[in-house]
Every structure is written in C-alpha cells, then in structure tokens.
C-alpha cells in the first residue's frame, strides 16, 4: 500500500528487494543451485491480531522501514502524514469484524535445506 501511495516503481526483475525471495519454487531452485540438498520451502500463514484499526496503524508505522518513512515525508511533508496512514487504515477494511478487532494475515516461508557432507 505504501509503495502504491508513493508511486514507487517495482524493482527490476532479479534484483534484491523485500519480496525477491517470496516465490517458493524459484527460492528452492536458487538454494539447490547454490549446492544445498533436501531443499523444502513451506508456506505458513502468520496472523497479526489487532484490537483496533488505530493499534494496527501504530504497529505498522513503528515497523515501516526508515527509507519508506523518509519518502512519505519527502512526498507529503511528514512521515506522519494523515492521508498516508488513513489510506493504510482504509486498506484494512476487508479484514475487520463488527467489533473493530481484526487479524491481518501474512505469509511466511519456512525454508529447510542441508549442506552436503564433505568427503
């Protein structure tokens, strides 16, 4: 959501980035190509529960990388730009329940690989 609001272009294919190893199949292939054996990549959904939208926004603001916060400040005058954080809050709407509490899902990859024994 922040990338969209800041109109950041996606990184070029094949370059390092926060999601460059997000696809299980290429990740497993890269590990195998690096010499690892018995490679497995398992998707696991991590749930982040929040009591309110405000709590979620505060958490997200606290864990947002400084580089992105600087870009928000450059573009909108402050890293605390109300429009930016309201847009984030609005994006949580599909996950909210009637009582205001909600859980945001996030997918993590669990990687297992072995180093071949040396002879």
């Amino acid at each position: 959501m922040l990338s969209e609001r800041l109109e950041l272009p996606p990184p070029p294919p094949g370059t390092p980035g926060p999601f460059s190893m997000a696809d299980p199949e290429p990740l497993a292939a890269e590990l195998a190509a690096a010499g690892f054996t018995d490679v497995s990549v398992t998707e696991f959904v991590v749930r982040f529960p929040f009591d309110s939208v405000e709590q979620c926004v505060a958490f997200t603001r606290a864990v947002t990388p400084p580089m992105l916060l600087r870009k928000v400040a450059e573009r909108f005058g402050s890293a605390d730009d109300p429009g930016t954080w309201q847009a984030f809050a609005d994006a949580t709407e599909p996950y909210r329940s009637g009582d205001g509490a909600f859980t945001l899902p996030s997918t993590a990859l669990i990687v297992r690989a072995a180093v071949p024994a040396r002879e």
Side-chain angles (χ1 to χ4, degrees), residues 10-16:
T15 60

Side-chain angles (χ1 to χ4, degrees), residues 14-99:
T15 60
F19 302 106
S20 61
M21 295 191 294
D23 190 339
E25 289 182 27
L27 175 57
E30 284 187 42
L31 290 168
F36 290 93
T37 61
D38 300 320
V39 176
S40 69
V41 180
T42 306
E43 290 187 3
F44 179 77
V45 176
V46 179
R47 303 196 183 285
F48 290 90
F50 296 99
D51 294 329
S52 67
V53 173
E54 294 78 19
Q55 184 186 47
C56 178
V57 169
F59 170 80
T60 302
R61 169 70 174 81
V63 300
T64 296
M67 178 273 303
L68 276 179
L69 294 176
R70 281 192 298 277
K71 291 203 176 287
V72 170
E74 289 168 8
R75 178 95 186 246
F76 300 107
S78 169
D80 295 318
D81 172 57
T84 296
W85 299 108
Q86 184 60 54
F88 176 81
D90 293 346
T92 68
E93 181 68 35
Y95 304 98
R96 295 187 219 163
S97 63
D99 66 356

